[in-house]
Amino acid sequence: MDLGIAGRRALVCAGSKGLGRGCAEALAREGVHVTITARGKEALEATAAAIRAAGGKIATVAGDITTPEGRAAALAACRDPDILINNAGGPPPGEFRDWTIEDWMKALNANMLTAIELIKATIDPMIARKWGRIVNITSGSVKAPIPILGLSNGARTGLTGFCAGLARQVAKDGISVNGLLPGPFDTDRLRSSMAFEAKKLGRPVEEVAKERAAHNPSRRFGTAEEFGAACAFLCSVHAGYITGQNLLMDGGAINSSI
Ligand code: NAP
């Protein structure tokens, strides 16, 4: 299927690895001119080189997307994108009694306000062009909260609530705003959280990973490629009538009828 977005411009935040990289690769494969951001230059350039080698058009911006300077640099490199993929690292797990206002402000900044600031900076030109796609990479925890990830549950649900209203405000302007909600995907983040768990339990990490995958109805973790393909579809010309939605990709892990 031709997604009809060749020549469009996309800003993919936190796109050097994992799910962001999956989105960048899938969009670049469709002929989209992609700009990726990340803090670490090495992985950023390695990802860009791989996308370029595959024939994609890609630019990079090194910086922390959760800071005003990082966002300014990203927007200077990719002025008025047609497609905005909001993503950043997730907050740490913990016990809610230990979290200070500073911990909350950090989580809200990274996983709610950063995305809202980027939307604010890019949406008016999208409205003027009568076309735009905004995809927020959030988490399955938006639908089924994970107690030890309370900072993530809170911040991501805040973004989801804001975008639910925004999507209805800008639908008439040809803009869709959706959430893409990962369950367990085989990325550095998942691997490091399993390594942490394995260490705590004093068990081999491969064993913990195998057990965790076996608990999923699909008996495996998702791949960044699958995630990217779904993201590219949400950004396609065919998905213009899908807005204000939260697409869960978790292999069926969350047990629910709708
Ligand atoms: P990952 O494999 O660890 O990749 C994270 C990417 O984000 C890297 O490119 C990283 O590069 C970049 N990044 C992190 N913080 C950044 C910042 N402040 N500014 C710019 N770039 C930043 O993680 P992932 O698994 O793809 O996860 C992506 C998001 O999905 C996270 O919010 C995560 O919590 C959420 N999620 C993931 C899963 C899963 O199973 N993988 C499940 C649910 C939710 P640098 O470190 O070099 O900046």
Side-chain angles (χ1 to χ4, degrees), residues 86 111 115 119 134-144 152-153 155-168 176-183 227 230-231 234 239 241-250 254 256-258:
N86 279 313
N111 297 106
I119 290 170
I134 298 170
V135 175
N136 299 315
I137 301 179
T138 59
S139 169
S141 68
V142 164
K143 285 199 190 258
S152 168
N153 300 337
R156 296 188 198 277
T157 307
L159 175 63
T160 303
F162 167 74
C163 284
L166 174 74
R168 275 82 191 177
S176 70
V177 186
N178 292 293
L180 199 43
L181 283 51
F227 193 85
C231 175
L234 283 180
Y241 208 52
I242 302 174
T243 196
Q245 303 304 304
N246 288 286
L247 176 64
L248 180 64
M249 290 185 77
D250 70 348
I254 293 174
S256 127
S257 303
I258 51 165

mmCIF file of all heavy atoms in Angstrom, residues 86 111 115 119 134-144 152-153 155-168 176-183 227 230-231 234 239 241-250 254 256-258:
data_model
loop_
_atom_site.group_PDB
_atom_site.id
_atom_site.type_symbol
_atom_site.label_atom_id
_atom_site.label_comp_id
_atom_site.label_asym_id
_atom_site.label_seq_id
_atom_site.Cartn_x
_atom_site.Cartn_y
_atom_site.Cartn_z
ATOM 1 N N ASN A 86 6.067 12.334 18.915
ATOM 2 C CA ASN A 86 6.533 12.693 20.253
ATOM 3 C C ASN A 86 7.002 11.450 21.005
ATOM 4 O O ASN A 86 6.269 10.457 21.105
ATOM 5 C CB ASN A 86 5.402 13.360 21.041
ATOM 6 C CG ASN A 86 5.261 14.820 20.690
ATOM 7 O OD1 ASN A 86 6.265 15.542 20.636
ATOM 8 N ND2 ASN A 86 4.050 15.274 20.434
ATOM 9 N N ASN A 111 7.286 13.549 29.884
ATOM 10 C CA ASN A 111 6.301 12.686 29.239
ATOM 11 C C ASN A 111 4.936 13.321 29.027
ATOM 12 O O ASN A 111 4.009 12.667 28.550
ATOM 13 C CB ASN A 111 6.161 11.370 30.023
ATOM 14 C CG ASN A 111 7.467 10.597 30.022
ATOM 15 O OD1 ASN A 111 8.161 10.548 31.033
ATOM 16 N ND2 ASN A 111 7.848 10.048 28.889
ATOM 17 N N ALA A 115 5.887 17.085 24.977
ATOM 18 C CA ALA A 115 5.055 16.804 23.794
ATOM 19 C C ALA A 115 4.104 17.967 23.527
ATOM 20 O O ALA A 115 3.925 18.393 22.379
ATOM 21 C CB ALA A 115 4.277 15.510 24.014
ATOM 22 N N ILE A 119 3.881 20.258 20.195
ATOM 23 C CA ILE A 119 2.614 20.376 19.452
ATOM 24 C C ILE A 119 2.291 21.861 19.259
ATOM 25 O O ILE A 119 1.960 22.315 18.165
ATOM 26 C CB ILE A 119 1.473 19.644 20.202
ATOM 27 C CG1 ILE A 119 1.684 18.126 20.141
ATOM 28 C CG2 ILE A 119 0.117 20.029 19.621
ATOM 29 C CD1 ILE A 119 0.751 17.314 21.044
ATOM 30 N N ILE A 134 0.060 13.844 14.152
ATOM 31 C CA ILE A 134 0.785 13.849 15.420
ATOM 32 C C ILE A 134 0.571 12.486 16.088
ATOM 33 O O ILE A 134 -0.574 12.050 16.254
ATOM 34 C CB ILE A 134 0.282 14.993 16.337
ATOM 35 C CG1 ILE A 134 0.551 16.353 15.671
ATOM 36 C CG2 ILE A 134 0.949 14.912 17.715
ATOM 37 C CD1 ILE A 134 -0.103 17.544 16.349
ATOM 38 N N VAL A 135 1.672 11.830 16.386
ATOM 39 C CA VAL A 135 1.596 10.533 17.070
ATOM 40 C C VAL A 135 2.422 10.647 18.352
ATOM 41 O O VAL A 135 3.598 11.014 18.307
ATOM 42 C CB VAL A 135 2.138 9.382 16.185
ATOM 43 C CG1 VAL A 135 2.150 8.064 16.969
ATOM 44 C CG2 VAL A 135 1.306 9.230 14.907
ATOM 45 N N ASN A 136 1.795 10.345 19.461
ATOM 46 C CA ASN A 136 2.499 10.345 20.743
ATOM 47 C C ASN A 136 2.805 8.907 21.138
ATOM 48 O O ASN A 136 1.888 8.085 21.261
ATOM 49 C CB ASN A 136 1.621 10.965 21.837
ATOM 50 C CG ASN A 136 1.262 12.408 21.522
ATOM 51 O OD1 ASN A 136 2.123 13.194 21.118
ATOM 52 N ND2 ASN A 136 -0.001 12.754 21.684
ATOM 53 N N ILE A 137 4.090 8.616 21.310
ATOM 54 C CA ILE A 137 4.459 7.298 21.828
ATOM 55 C C ILE A 137 4.281 7.368 23.339
ATOM 56 O O ILE A 137 4.988 8.118 24.024
ATOM 57 C CB ILE A 137 5.909 6.919 21.464
ATOM 58 C CG1 ILE A 137 6.080 6.904 19.935
ATOM 59 C CG2 ILE A 137 6.287 5.566 22.079
ATOM 60 C CD1 ILE A 137 7.494 6.562 19.455
ATOM 61 N N THR A 138 3.293 6.648 23.854
ATOM 62 C CA THR A 138 3.042 6.698 25.300
ATOM 63 C C THR A 138 3.338 5.321 25.895
ATOM 64 O O THR A 138 4.464 4.864 25.872
ATOM 65 C CB THR A 138 1.615 7.209 25.603
ATOM 66 O OG1 THR A 138 0.648 6.356 25.000
ATOM 67 C CG2 THR A 138 1.438 8.634 25.131
ATOM 68 N N SER A 139 2.302 4.616 26.330
ATOM 69 C CA SER A 139 2.528 3.289 26.933
ATOM 70 C C SER A 139 1.185 2.600 27.138
ATOM 71 O O SER A 139 0.152 3.278 27.339
ATOM 72 C CB SER A 139 3.215 3.464 28.291
ATOM 73 O OG SER A 139 3.220 2.235 28.985
ATOM 74 N N GLY A 140 1.221 1.282 27.148
ATOM 75 C CA GLY A 140 0.031 0.513 27.504
ATOM 76 C C GLY A 140 -0.473 0.889 28.888
ATOM 77 O O GLY A 140 -1.644 0.685 29.210
ATOM 78 N N SER A 141 0.409 1.477 29.693
ATOM 79 C CA SER A 141 0.016 1.857 31.059
ATOM 80 C C SER A 141 -1.034 2.968 31.063
ATOM 81 O O SER A 141 -1.662 3.232 32.095
ATOM 82 C CB SER A 141 1.237 2.281 31.876
ATOM 83 O OG SER A 141 1.754 3.488 31.381
ATOM 84 N N VAL A 142 -1.249 3.613 29.916
ATOM 85 C CA VAL A 142 -2.317 4.598 29.808
ATOM 86 C C VAL A 142 -3.676 3.892 29.942
ATOM 87 O O VAL A 142 -4.632 4.444 30.492
ATOM 88 C CB VAL A 142 -2.214 5.347 28.451
ATOM 89 C CG1 VAL A 142 -3.481 6.089 28.113
ATOM 90 C CG2 VAL A 142 -1.024 6.298 28.474
ATOM 91 N N LYS A 143 -3.750 2.651 29.440
ATOM 92 C CA LYS A 143 -5.012 1.898 29.538
ATOM 93 C C LYS A 143 -5.057 1.032 30.787
ATOM 94 O O LYS A 143 -6.109 0.845 31.375
ATOM 95 C CB LYS A 143 -5.175 1.000 28.307
ATOM 96 C CG LYS A 143 -5.567 1.782 27.062
ATOM 97 C CD LYS A 143 -6.173 0.883 26.000
ATOM 98 C CE LYS A 143 -6.322 1.618 24.693
ATOM 99 N NZ LYS A 143 -7.656 2.076 24.402
ATOM 100 N N ALA A 144 -3.913 0.461 31.144
ATOM 101 C CA ALA A 144 -3.864 -0.422 32.311
ATOM 102 C C ALA A 144 -2.645 -0.033 33.130
ATOM 103 O O ALA A 144 -1.523 -0.437 32.825
ATOM 104 C CB ALA A 144 -3.755 -1.877 31.863
ATOM 105 N N SER A 152 5.014 7.494 35.351
ATOM 106 C CA SER A 152 4.682 7.322 33.937
ATOM 107 C C SER A 152 3.166 7.303 33.752
ATOM 108 O O SER A 152 2.624 7.978 32.866
ATOM 109 C CB SER A 152 5.325 6.013 33.439
ATOM 110 O OG SER A 152 4.833 5.666 32.185
ATOM 111 N N ASN A 153 2.458 6.543 34.587
ATOM 112 C CA ASN A 153 0.992 6.472 34.491
ATOM 113 C C ASN A 153 0.393 7.877 34.527
ATOM 114 O O ASN A 153 -0.470 8.235 33.719
ATOM 115 C CB ASN A 153 0.391 5.694 35.672
ATOM 116 C CG ASN A 153 0.881 4.260 35.760
ATOM 117 O OD1 ASN A 153 1.309 3.680 34.782
ATOM 118 N ND2 ASN A 153 0.813 3.684 36.961
ATOM 119 N N ALA A 155 1.895 11.012 34.170
ATOM 120 C CA ALA A 155 2.297 11.973 33.134
ATOM 121 C C ALA A 155 1.699 11.600 31.771
ATOM 122 O O ALA A 155 1.190 12.453 31.047
ATOM 123 C CB ALA A 155 3.818 12.019 33.050
ATOM 124 N N ARG A 156 1.737 10.339 31.432
ATOM 125 C CA ARG A 156 1.265 9.931 30.091
ATOM 126 C C ARG A 156 -0.261 10.044 29.987
ATOM 127 O O ARG A 156 -0.789 10.338 28.920
ATOM 128 C CB ARG A 156 1.705 8.505 29.799
ATOM 129 C CG ARG A 156 3.233 8.352 29.716
ATOM 130 C CD ARG A 156 3.559 6.965 29.248
ATOM 131 N NE ARG A 156 4.901 6.504 29.497
ATOM 132 C CZ ARG A 156 5.966 6.755 28.744
ATOM 133 N NH1 ARG A 156 5.859 7.560 27.708
ATOM 134 N NH2 ARG A 156 7.139 6.230 29.026
ATOM 135 N N THR A 157 -0.951 9.801 31.091
ATOM 136 C CA THR A 157 -2.407 9.948 31.055
ATOM 137 C C THR A 157 -2.764 11.427 30.912
ATOM 138 O O THR A 157 -3.739 11.769 30.235
ATOM 139 C CB THR A 157 -3.035 9.333 32.323
ATOM 140 O OG1 THR A 157 -2.558 8.005 32.435
ATOM 141 C CG2 THR A 157 -4.542 9.296 32.238
ATOM 142 N N GLY A 158 -1.954 12.288 31.503
ATOM 143 C CA GLY A 158 -2.175 13.726 31.337
ATOM 144 C C GLY A 158 -2.056 14.139 29.880
ATOM 145 O O GLY A 158 -2.902 14.867 29.348
ATOM 146 N N LEU A 159 -1.020 13.637 29.210
ATOM 147 C CA LEU A 159 -0.842 13.951 27.781
ATOM 148 C C LEU A 159 -2.012 13.387 26.972
ATOM 149 O O LEU A 159 -2.543 14.064 26.078
ATOM 150 C CB LEU A 159 0.482 13.350 27.272
ATOM 151 C CG LEU A 159 0.734 13.492 25.773
ATOM 152 C CD1 LEU A 159 0.852 14.968 25.375
ATOM 153 C CD2 LEU A 159 1.998 12.725 25.357
ATOM 154 N N THR A 160 -2.419 12.178 27.317
ATOM 155 C CA THR A 160 -3.506 11.532 26.586
ATOM 156 C C THR A 160 -4.805 12.338 26.722
ATOM 157 O O THR A 160 -5.538 12.535 25.750
ATOM 158 C CB THR A 160 -3.698 10.085 27.111
ATOM 159 O OG1 THR A 160 -2.449 9.407 26.962
ATOM 160 C CG2 THR A 160 -4.778 9.346 26.351
ATOM 161 N N GLY A 161 -5.062 12.822 27.927
ATOM 162 C CA GLY A 161 -6.270 13.614 28.159
ATOM 163 C C GLY A 161 -6.239 14.919 27.380
ATOM 164 O O GLY A 161 -7.223 15.294 26.721
ATOM 165 N N PHE A 162 -5.091 15.576 27.397
ATOM 166 C CA PHE A 162 -4.974 16.834 26.651
ATOM 167 C C PHE A 162 -5.214 16.575 25.162
ATOM 168 O O PHE A 162 -5.956 17.313 24.496
ATOM 169 C CB PHE A 162 -3.588 17.464 26.868
ATOM 170 C CG PHE A 162 -3.313 18.564 25.886
ATOM 171 C CD1 PHE A 162 -3.951 19.796 26.012
ATOM 172 C CD2 PHE A 162 -2.466 18.363 24.805
ATOM 173 C CE1 PHE A 162 -3.738 20.801 25.083
ATOM 174 C CE2 PHE A 162 -2.249 19.369 23.870
ATOM 175 C CZ PHE A 162 -2.890 20.598 24.015
ATOM 176 N N CYS A 163 -4.577 15.514 24.650
ATOM 177 C CA CYS A 163 -4.668 15.245 23.201
ATOM 178 C C CYS A 163 -6.058 14.781 22.782
ATOM 179 O O CYS A 163 -6.460 14.973 21.628
ATOM 180 C CB CYS A 163 -3.588 14.237 22.786
ATOM 181 S SG CYS A 163 -1.981 15.039 22.724
ATOM 182 N N ALA A 164 -6.798 14.193 23.708
ATOM 183 C CA ALA A 164 -8.175 13.780 23.390
ATOM 184 C C ALA A 164 -9.001 15.014 23.028
ATOM 185 O O ALA A 164 -9.799 14.998 22.075
ATOM 186 C CB ALA A 164 -8.783 13.051 24.573
ATOM 187 N N GLY A 165 -8.796 16.090 23.764
ATOM 188 C CA GLY A 165 -9.515 17.330 23.461
ATOM 189 C C GLY A 165 -8.969 17.998 22.213
ATOM 190 O O GLY A 165 -9.714 18.407 21.326
ATOM 191 N N LEU A 166 -7.654 18.066 22.131
ATOM 192 C CA LEU A 166 -7.005 18.725 20.987
ATOM 193 C C LEU A 166 -7.406 18.063 19.663
ATOM 194 O O LEU A 166 -7.673 18.762 18.673
ATOM 195 C CB LEU A 166 -5.480 18.639 21.155
ATOM 196 C CG LEU A 166 -4.666 19.159 19.983
ATOM 197 C CD1 LEU A 166 -4.719 20.689 19.947
ATOM 198 C CD2 LEU A 166 -3.215 18.682 20.068
ATOM 199 N N ALA A 167 -7.448 16.739 19.650
ATOM 200 C CA ALA A 167 -7.760 16.010 18.407
ATOM 201 C C ALA A 167 -9.084 16.490 17.827
ATOM 202 O O ALA A 167 -9.219 16.657 16.609
ATOM 203 C CB ALA A 167 -7.804 14.515 18.692
ATOM 204 N N ARG A 168 -10.053 16.734 18.705
ATOM 205 C CA ARG A 168 -11.385 17.173 18.233
ATOM 206 C C ARG A 168 -11.364 18.633 17.768
ATOM 207 O O ARG A 168 -12.167 19.026 16.939
ATOM 208 C CB ARG A 168 -12.424 17.001 19.346
ATOM 209 C CG ARG A 168 -13.027 15.607 19.435
ATOM 210 C CD ARG A 168 -12.178 14.636 20.184
ATOM 211 N NE ARG A 168 -12.634 13.253 20.057
ATOM 212 C CZ ARG A 168 -11.993 12.215 20.601
ATOM 213 N NH1 ARG A 168 -10.882 12.403 21.282
ATOM 214 N NH2 ARG A 168 -12.437 10.999 20.417
ATOM 215 N N SER A 176 -4.598 14.774 12.370
ATOM 216 C CA SER A 176 -4.984 13.721 13.308
ATOM 217 C C SER A 176 -3.968 13.674 14.446
ATOM 218 O O SER A 176 -2.779 13.930 14.248
ATOM 219 C CB SER A 176 -5.086 12.362 12.609
ATOM 220 O OG SER A 176 -3.808 11.904 12.251
ATOM 221 N N VAL A 177 -4.480 13.371 15.629
ATOM 222 C CA VAL A 177 -3.650 13.291 16.839
ATOM 223 C C VAL A 177 -3.982 11.968 17.527
ATOM 224 O O VAL A 177 -5.129 11.753 17.934
ATOM 225 C CB VAL A 177 -3.965 14.455 17.816
ATOM 226 C CG1 VAL A 177 -2.996 14.454 18.995
ATOM 227 C CG2 VAL A 177 -3.952 15.807 17.107
ATOM 228 N N ASN A 178 -3.009 11.096 17.595
ATOM 229 C CA ASN A 178 -3.267 9.775 18.178
ATOM 230 C C ASN A 178 -2.143 9.353 19.106
ATOM 231 O O ASN A 178 -1.006 9.814 18.988
ATOM 232 C CB ASN A 178 -3.394 8.731 17.060
ATOM 233 C CG ASN A 178 -4.646 8.947 16.225
ATOM 234 O OD1 ASN A 178 -5.767 8.786 16.723
ATOM 235 N ND2 ASN A 178 -4.473 9.334 14.963
ATOM 236 N N GLY A 179 -2.466 8.414 19.982
ATOM 237 C CA GLY A 179 -1.462 7.799 20.837
ATOM 238 C C GLY A 179 -1.151 6.408 20.315
ATOM 239 O O GLY A 179 -2.042 5.702 19.833
ATOM 240 N N LEU A 180 0.115 6.033 20.386
ATOM 241 C CA LEU A 180 0.526 4.671 20.037
ATOM 242 C C LEU A 180 1.095 4.088 21.332
ATOM 243 O O LEU A 180 2.059 4.630 21.882
ATOM 244 C CB LEU A 180 1.549 4.721 18.909
ATOM 245 C CG LEU A 180 1.811 3.475 18.074
ATOM 246 C CD1 LEU A 180 0.547 2.746 17.687
ATOM 247 C CD2 LEU A 180 2.605 3.850 16.827
ATOM 248 N N LEU A 181 0.466 3.035 21.831
ATOM 249 C CA LEU A 181 0.711 2.558 23.201
ATOM 250 C C LEU A 181 1.469 1.224 23.192
ATOM 251 O O LEU A 181 0.871 0.170 22.966
ATOM 252 C CB LEU A 181 -0.632 2.351 23.924
ATOM 253 C CG LEU A 181 -1.388 3.565 24.452
ATOM 254 C CD1 LEU A 181 -1.577 4.664 23.428
ATOM 255 C CD2 LEU A 181 -2.722 3.149 25.033
ATOM 256 N N PRO A 182 2.779 1.267 23.424
ATOM 257 C CA PRO A 182 3.515 -0.003 23.424
ATOM 258 C C PRO A 182 3.294 -0.816 24.694
ATOM 259 O O PRO A 182 3.261 -0.275 25.796
ATOM 260 C CB PRO A 182 4.983 0.452 23.327
ATOM 261 C CG PRO A 182 5.004 1.834 23.880
ATOM 262 C CD PRO A 182 3.646 2.433 23.630
ATOM 263 N N GLY A 183 3.160 -2.116 24.487
ATOM 264 C CA GLY A 183 3.315 -3.071 25.587
ATOM 265 C C GLY A 183 4.785 -3.444 25.587
ATOM 266 O O GLY A 183 5.639 -2.597 25.317
ATOM 267 N N PHE A 227 6.285 -1.737 15.339
ATOM 268 C CA PHE A 227 5.813 -0.488 15.929
ATOM 269 C C PHE A 227 5.896 0.642 14.903
ATOM 270 O O PHE A 227 4.962 1.419 14.723
ATOM 271 C CB PHE A 227 6.656 -0.156 17.161
ATOM 272 C CG PHE A 227 6.070 0.914 18.010
ATOM 273 C CD1 PHE A 227 5.127 0.619 18.978
ATOM 274 C CD2 PHE A 227 6.461 2.245 17.850
ATOM 275 C CE1 PHE A 227 4.572 1.621 19.768
ATOM 276 C CE2 PHE A 227 5.911 3.246 18.627
ATOM 277 C CZ PHE A 227 4.965 2.935 19.600
ATOM 278 N N ALA A 230 3.172 0.528 12.218
ATOM 279 C CA ALA A 230 1.873 1.031 12.689
ATOM 280 C C ALA A 230 1.896 2.558 12.748
ATOM 281 O O ALA A 230 0.926 3.229 12.384
ATOM 282 C CB ALA A 230 1.557 0.449 14.059
ATOM 283 N N CYS A 231 3.028 3.096 13.190
ATOM 284 C CA CYS A 231 3.175 4.550 13.267
ATOM 285 C C CYS A 231 3.059 5.158 11.871
ATOM 286 O O CYS A 231 2.336 6.145 11.666
ATOM 287 C CB CYS A 231 4.522 4.895 13.899
ATOM 288 S SG CYS A 231 4.880 6.647 13.910
ATOM 289 N N LEU A 234 -0.477 5.301 10.752
ATOM 290 C CA LEU A 234 -1.228 6.400 11.391
ATOM 291 C C LEU A 234 -0.877 7.757 10.764
ATOM 292 O O LEU A 234 -1.664 8.689 10.822
ATOM 293 C CB LEU A 234 -0.943 6.440 12.896
ATOM 294 C CG LEU A 234 -1.637 5.391 13.768
ATOM 295 C CD1 LEU A 234 -1.231 5.573 15.226
ATOM 296 C CD2 LEU A 234 -3.168 5.462 13.640
ATOM 297 N N ALA A 239 -5.173 7.348 6.967
ATOM 298 C CA ALA A 239 -5.554 7.317 8.385
ATOM 299 C C ALA A 239 -6.119 8.656 8.859
ATOM 300 O O ALA A 239 -6.229 8.885 10.070
ATOM 301 C CB ALA A 239 -4.347 6.919 9.233
ATOM 302 N N TYR A 241 -9.008 9.765 9.086
ATOM 303 C CA TYR A 241 -10.277 9.725 9.846
ATOM 304 C C TYR A 241 -10.096 9.020 11.188
ATOM 305 O O TYR A 241 -11.042 8.844 11.934
ATOM 306 C CB TYR A 241 -11.334 8.999 8.991
ATOM 307 C CG TYR A 241 -12.770 9.407 9.261
ATOM 308 C CD1 TYR A 241 -13.170 10.740 9.243
ATOM 309 C CD2 TYR A 241 -13.742 8.434 9.525
ATOM 310 C CE1 TYR A 241 -14.486 11.102 9.480
ATOM 311 C CE2 TYR A 241 -15.064 8.783 9.763
ATOM 312 C CZ TYR A 241 -15.433 10.120 9.745
ATOM 313 O OH TYR A 241 -16.737 10.464 9.980
ATOM 314 N N ILE A 242 -8.843 8.621 11.455
ATOM 315 C CA ILE A 242 -8.527 8.020 12.762
ATOM 316 C C ILE A 242 -7.911 9.126 13.598
ATOM 317 O O ILE A 242 -6.777 9.556 13.351
ATOM 318 C CB ILE A 242 -7.504 6.861 12.623
ATOM 319 C CG1 ILE A 242 -8.030 5.772 11.684
ATOM 320 C CG2 ILE A 242 -7.159 6.280 13.998
ATOM 321 C CD1 ILE A 242 -7.014 4.661 11.393
ATOM 322 N N THR A 243 -8.647 9.625 14.559
ATOM 323 C CA THR A 243 -8.079 10.682 15.405
ATOM 324 C C THR A 243 -8.629 10.613 16.825
ATOM 325 O O THR A 243 -9.730 10.115 17.043
ATOM 326 C CB THR A 243 -8.286 12.085 14.787
ATOM 327 O OG1 THR A 243 -7.405 13.000 15.465
ATOM 328 C CG2 THR A 243 -9.719 12.586 14.899
ATOM 329 N N GLY A 244 -7.808 11.059 17.761
ATOM 330 C CA GLY A 244 -8.200 11.023 19.174
ATOM 331 C C GLY A 244 -8.215 9.600 19.715
ATOM 332 O O GLY A 244 -8.869 9.311 20.720
ATOM 333 N N GLN A 245 -7.474 8.721 19.043
ATOM 334 C CA GLN A 245 -7.475 7.307 19.447
ATOM 335 C C GLN A 245 -6.169 6.942 20.145
ATOM 336 O O GLN A 245 -5.163 7.638 20.018
ATOM 337 C CB GLN A 245 -7.671 6.408 18.215
ATOM 338 C CG GLN A 245 -8.949 6.729 17.448
ATOM 339 C CD GLN A 245 -10.193 6.659 18.332
ATOM 340 O OE1 GLN A 245 -10.457 5.633 18.958
ATOM 341 N NE2 GLN A 245 -10.942 7.752 18.403
ATOM 342 N N ASN A 246 -6.221 5.816 20.827
ATOM 343 C CA ASN A 246 -5.037 5.297 21.513
ATOM 344 C C ASN A 246 -4.883 3.836 21.130
ATOM 345 O O ASN A 246 -5.612 2.979 21.624
ATOM 346 C CB ASN A 246 -5.201 5.473 23.025
ATOM 347 C CG ASN A 246 -5.082 6.930 23.390
ATOM 348 O OD1 ASN A 246 -3.986 7.485 23.388
ATOM 349 N ND2 ASN A 246 -6.205 7.575 23.636
ATOM 350 N N LEU A 247 -3.964 3.610 20.180
ATOM 351 C CA LEU A 247 -3.797 2.262 19.631
ATOM 352 C C LEU A 247 -2.813 1.471 20.477
ATOM 353 O O LEU A 247 -1.632 1.802 20.558
ATOM 354 C CB LEU A 247 -3.310 2.351 18.171
ATOM 355 C CG LEU A 247 -3.007 1.020 17.501
ATOM 356 C CD1 LEU A 247 -4.261 0.171 17.367
ATOM 357 C CD2 LEU A 247 -2.374 1.247 16.129
ATOM 358 N N LEU A 248 -3.354 0.426 21.089
ATOM 359 C CA LEU A 248 -2.545 -0.433 21.954
ATOM 360 C C LEU A 248 -1.853 -1.498 21.117
ATOM 361 O O LEU A 248 -2.500 -2.187 20.328
ATOM 362 C CB LEU A 248 -3.484 -1.088 22.979
ATOM 363 C CG LEU A 248 -2.872 -2.035 23.988
ATOM 364 C CD1 LEU A 248 -1.894 -1.300 24.904
ATOM 365 C CD2 LEU A 248 -3.988 -2.679 24.826
ATOM 366 N N MET A 249 -0.525 -1.607 21.290
ATOM 367 C CA MET A 249 0.227 -2.682 20.612
ATOM 368 C C MET A 249 0.939 -3.471 21.690
ATOM 369 O O MET A 249 2.007 -3.076 22.158
ATOM 370 C CB MET A 249 1.268 -2.078 19.655
ATOM 371 C CG MET A 249 0.658 -1.411 18.440
ATOM 372 S SD MET A 249 1.965 -0.867 17.326
ATOM 373 C CE MET A 249 2.429 -2.425 16.550
ATOM 374 N N ASP A 250 0.327 -4.562 22.109
ATOM 375 C CA ASP A 250 0.913 -5.308 23.230
ATOM 376 C C ASP A 250 0.789 -6.816 23.073
ATOM 377 O O ASP A 250 0.909 -7.543 24.065
ATOM 378 C CB ASP A 250 0.291 -4.849 24.555
ATOM 379 C CG ASP A 250 -1.163 -5.273 24.702
ATOM 380 O OD1 ASP A 250 -1.766 -5.720 23.699
ATOM 381 O OD2 ASP A 250 -1.689 -5.182 25.821
ATOM 382 N N ILE A 254 -3.054 -6.873 27.501
ATOM 383 C CA ILE A 254 -4.107 -6.310 28.356
ATOM 384 C C ILE A 254 -5.420 -7.004 27.992
ATOM 385 O O ILE A 254 -5.860 -6.960 26.844
ATOM 386 C CB ILE A 254 -4.195 -4.778 28.195
ATOM 387 C CG1 ILE A 254 -2.913 -4.132 28.746
ATOM 388 C CG2 ILE A 254 -5.434 -4.230 28.903
ATOM 389 C CD1 ILE A 254 -2.808 -2.639 28.522
ATOM 390 N N SER A 256 -8.979 -7.224 27.625
ATOM 391 C CA SER A 256 -10.147 -6.355 27.615
ATOM 392 C C SER A 256 -10.895 -6.544 26.309
ATOM 393 O O SER A 256 -10.293 -6.902 25.287
ATOM 394 C CB SER A 256 -9.672 -4.912 27.826
ATOM 395 O OG SER A 256 -10.142 -4.055 26.844
ATOM 396 N N SER A 257 -12.212 -6.318 26.318
ATOM 397 C CA SER A 257 -13.027 -6.542 25.115
ATOM 398 C C SER A 257 -12.910 -5.410 24.108
ATOM 399 O O SER A 257 -13.150 -5.605 22.927
ATOM 400 C CB SER A 257 -14.494 -6.712 25.494
ATOM 401 O OG SER A 257 -14.617 -7.774 26.402
ATOM 402 N N ILE A 258 -12.607 -4.190 24.574
ATOM 403 C CA ILE A 258 -12.499 -3.075 23.623
ATOM 404 C C ILE A 258 -11.142 -2.374 23.793
ATOM 405 O O ILE A 258 -10.494 -2.484 24.813
ATOM 406 C CB ILE A 258 -13.636 -2.027 23.774
ATOM 407 C CG1 ILE A 258 -13.768 -1.578 25.228
ATOM 408 C CG2 ILE A 258 -14.935 -2.583 23.272
ATOM 409 C CD1 ILE A 258 -14.582 -0.346 25.406
#
